[in-house]
Amino acid sequence: MKTSKKLASALIALGLAFGAVGADMATTEAASVSEIAQINVKKDGSNFQYWNQDSASFKALKAYVEDVTNPSSPNFIPVKDRVCVSDMDGTFYGELAPTYSEWYLYFHRMFNDPTYNPSPTEKAYALECLKAAKAGKISADMDEGEDRAQSYAFQGMSMEDFDKYVDNYFSNAPLDGLTNCTFAEAYYLPMVEVITYLQNNGFNFYVVTGTDRQLVRQALKAPIPSINADHVIGTDSLPVMERQGWAGSQYFLFNEDGAKDKVMRGPFQFTDNKAGKVQNIAKEIGIQPVIALGNSTSDGSMLNYALANPKYKSFAMGVCCDDSVRDWGSQAKGDKFKAFCEKYGITPISMAKDWKTIYGYNVTKTPTRDFDTAKDFKK
């Protein structure tokens, strides 16, 4: 179905992942990007396909939405206040193969991109990040450090060129750890259903992620077009004008005297994670959410912020990565986050028990994950 599969043996196992088919169809492998874009759960929720509908999490979601959208209910929430915020990696997009999609792109830039020549210091730090990612031991300092390093690696690239770079890599790099799936297709199909269900019930859906904001905006355009670019909050680099140099904005005129100015990726600004997510929601949305979706304690502040809404009945769900058969989670990891959810009144979702499929019925877990940067990726 996808030409990229013919290239799988020649491509590196580094990549980025995303995936569902139309709500009235069953997928035989990872859903293509166009098929994901067709997912559209009706307002009444009658055409969910990928959830075990007797699961407690599914019933809780349906009950909440039906209650707060019912004009006769004392818990009715006006459309203007129906704000939902959601993490991305591990919440509706894969992150266990074996590290974040953003990190794969960073490693490709540092080790396999012939157009980029990193300094010895850059390369040494990238090797530290690679070692930590392989071991699954990424410290909080390194999490933000990689954000800064990646921002620097793409600094000076035009916004348009960066978008093309993301498209090329996501569409062609095979997903490490899973068969029949590229990084552009590795979305959690049940959660894409949830996104459209909420949107069709009048919820304003925002992505609030630790991943690079521009990367996420570009990655979501085709598979989930209902999420507008202005509804993505993420880790940021400051956009700059190519000709501006040192000049302050008061001394610079865009396209002055016929110049053809470009907006470029500039220096690192901030990491959108943990309590910082709450700060950015307050700053950029200005309305306290009534629904929050996440998958780890890093989302805990955002999840609790929604639950603390003083005006409306609120709801939070946590995706527990407990599926070691179809994905690279584990019962221990799932149980740890489930305990956190139960402590704070967050509804836990079991990937293993609550979902009929994750990426598609013919996507299977591979015996091992290569994570090999020695192989080149060319397209």
Side-chain angles (χ1 to χ4, degrees):
M1 183 174 75
K2 291 173 281 295
T3 58
S4 59
K5 289 183 175 57
K6 298 178 182 178
L7 302 173
S9 62
L11 299 178
I12 63 165
L14 294 176
L16 295 169
F18 289 42
V21 321
D24 59 344
M25 299 169 61
T27 178
T28 56
E29 49 188 20
S32 68
V33 169
S34 61
E35 288 171 334
I36 297 165
Q38 295 173 29
I39 293 178
N40 188 23
V41 173
K42 297 175 182 177
K43 184 177 180 180
D44 65 5
S46 60
N47 60 330
F48 273 100
Q49 296 291 305
Y50 302 119
W51 282 79
N52 290 319
Q53 298 191 19
D54 60 349
S55 66
S57 59
F58 180 82
K59 290 178 179 178
L61 171 68
K62 287 285 299 293
Y64 174 80
V65 171
E66 290 170 3
D67 183 20
V68 301
T69 59
N70 180 0
S72 301
S73 170
N75 297 316
F76 177 73
I77 302 175
V79 171
K80 66 181 181 64
D81 291 328
R82 292 181 198 171
V83 171
C84 173
V85 292
S86 175
D87 175 55
M88 186 181 80
D89 295 74
T91 299
F92 65 86
Y93 180 72
E95 76 171 1
L96 295 170
T99 192
Y100 307 110
S101 58
E102 180 181 72
W103 286 54
Y104 277 100
L105 188 70
Y106 168 61
F107 294 142
H108 172 62
R109 179 72 163 170
M110 298 303 295
F111 301 122
N112 298 322
D113 184 348
T115 69
Y116 187 68
N117 296 308
S119 70
T121 301
E122 283 184 273
K123 200 155 189 177
Y125 182 69
L127 286 169
E128 285 187 34
C129 289
L130 179 61
K131 183 179 179 180
K134 284 184 175 182
K137 296 180 179 179
I138 300 170
S139 67
D141 288 344
M142 185 167 283
D143 209 6
E144 182 167 334
E146 188 276 340
D147 289 338
R148 292 177 178 273
Q150 177 167 216
S151 176
Y152 185 80
F154 288 103
Q155 190 169 326
M157 183 180 284
S158 74
M159 306 291 269
E160 292 81 5
D161 285 345
F162 181 76
D163 288 346
K164 292 176 183 176
Y165 197 98
V166 170
D167 280 344
N168 178 46
Y169 188 71
F170 273 54
S171 298
N172 294 291
L175 180 60
D176 189 17
L178 298 173
T179 66
N180 301 317
C181 191
T182 67
F183 279 109
E185 301 162 334
Y187 291 92
Y188 298 159
L189 307 192
M191 294 306 290
V192 178
E193 288 190 315
V194 169
I195 293 170
T196 63
Y197 173 61
L198 292 173
Q199 289 175 326
N200 285 334
N201 275 282
F203 287 91
N204 222 345
F205 189 92
Y206 288 85
V207 178
V208 184
T209 174
T211 301
D212 181 276
R213 187 199 303 243
Q214 187 186 357
L215 185 160
V216 173
R217 283 174 168 172
Q218 185 62 24
L220 291 178
K221 279 183 181 179
I224 316 182
S226 59
I227 301 177
N228 296 328
D230 63 350
H231 279 50
V232 174
I233 299 171
T235 293
D236 258 338
S237 295
L238 181 69
V240 297
M241 270 70 78
E242 186 176 27
R243 287 189 312 115
Q244 187 172 358
W246 59 267
S249 58
Q250 67 270 37
Y251 301 111
F252 181 81
L253 176 64
F254 193 88
N255 280 358
E256 183 178 17
D257 297 330
K260 295 181 178 179
D261 286 316
K262 291 182 179 180
V263 179
M264 320 293 289
R265 285 179 63 91
F268 172 83
Q269 225 177 352
F270 61 78
T271 292
D272 183 55
N273 202 14
K274 299 181 180 178
K277 291 191 174 188
V278 175
Q279 293 172 315
N280 287 325
I281 291 167
K283 179 179 70 174
E284 298 206 22
I285 303 175
I287 301 174
Q288 190 165 348
V290 293
I291 299 181
L293 311 173
N295 78 299
S296 74
T297 55
S298 293
D299 301 316
S301 290
M302 178 174 70
L303 295 165
N304 285 345
Y305 184 48
L307 291 176
N309 191 301
K311 190 175 181 180
Y312 300 111
K313 178 182 177 181
S314 53
F315 184 66
M317 299 186 84
V319 177
C320 301
C321 58
D322 58 359
D323 197 322
S324 60
V325 175
R326 301 176 297 183
D327 208 349
W328 288 87
S330 71
Q331 192 64 53
K333 289 180 180 178
D335 287 346
K336 183 178 179 180
F337 185 53
K338 182 182 179 182
F340 178 87
C341 290
E342 291 173 342
K343 178 178 179 179
Y344 289 101
I346 300 160
T347 298
I349 299 169
S350 168
M351 293 176 67
K353 298 176 182 177
D354 297 353
W355 295 350
K356 294 179 180 178
T357 184
I358 300 176
Y359 308 104
Y361 294 108
N362 199 39
V363 175
T364 58
K365 178 181 172 182
T366 58
T368 60
R369 296 174 290 188
D370 287 341
F371 212 171
D372 184 2
T373 61
K375 299 176 185 177
D376 197 8
F377 171 83
K378 295 178 181 178
K379 176 66 178 177

